[in-house]
Amino acid sequence: MTKNIRRAIRQIYLMSLSTLGIFDFFRLKNKHKLLVMVYHDVVSDEYKIPDHYNYNTTINKSTFKKQLSYLYRHYNFITFSQFHNFSLLFYRKFIKK
C-alpha cells in the first residue's frame, strides 16, 4: 500500500472516531489523571521527513502548532515543578504507607 493510501485510511479512521465521540469519551475517562506527552523531533516545514523515519515521533512545525492548539483547548498544561509536586504528593498519599 502506498504512503498516500495509508494516510487517507488513517484520516478516515480518525475522523470516524472523532465523529462517534470516542476521543471525548477518553478525555472524560482520563479527566483526573496526569497525562504526559513527549515530542521527539519537530522539524521545519521545509524539511521533507524521509519515509524511513517514524512519522509518529517526527513532525513538522505547522503540525506541531496545530496539535498544541488542540491540546490547549482540551487540556490543562502544568509546569515541571507542578508535575514534581504532584508526584511527591501522590507518592506520600498512596505509596508510602
Side-chain angles (χ1 to χ4, degrees):
M1 214 178 319
T2 68
K3 186 176 182 178
N4 289 337
I5 293 173
R6 282 194 316 262
R7 188 172 285 161
I9 291 171
R10 183 174 181 263
Q11 284 301 110
I12 292 169
Y13 176 72
L14 292 174
M15 286 173 56
S16 299
L17 292 177
S18 179
T19 302
L20 293 171
I22 301 297
F23 296 134
D24 295 331
F25 169 75
F26 282 107
R27 248 196 330 272
L28 288 174
K29 185 176 185 286
N30 294 307
K31 185 175 184 175
H32 299 290
K33 292 183 180 177
L34 183 65
L35 304 172
V36 177
M37 189 166 184
V38 177
Y39 285 90
H40 294 274
D41 200 9
V42 179
V43 297
S44 69
D45 289 328
E46 295 80 29
Y47 181 76
K48 167 111 171 67
I49 300 172
D51 288 338
H52 66 276
Y53 274 36
N54 181 347
Y55 66 87
N56 290 324
T57 61
T58 302
I59 62 171
N60 62 32
K61 187 177 177 181
S62 59
T63 302
F64 178 68
K65 285 183 175 183
K66 288 177 190 174
Q67 289 181 4
L68 281 184
S69 175
Y70 174 85
L71 292 170
Y72 275 121
R73 286 193 313 272
H74 296 285
Y75 295 91
N76 295 318
F77 281 63
I78 63 170
T79 65
F80 185 76
S81 296
Q82 290 169 315
F83 170 74
H84 180 70
N85 292 339
F86 174 84
S87 299
L88 290 176
L89 177 66
F90 178 82
Y91 177 76
R92 287 185 190 126
K93 186 174 182 179
F94 296 105
I95 298 175
K96 194 178 176 184
K97 284 193 174 191

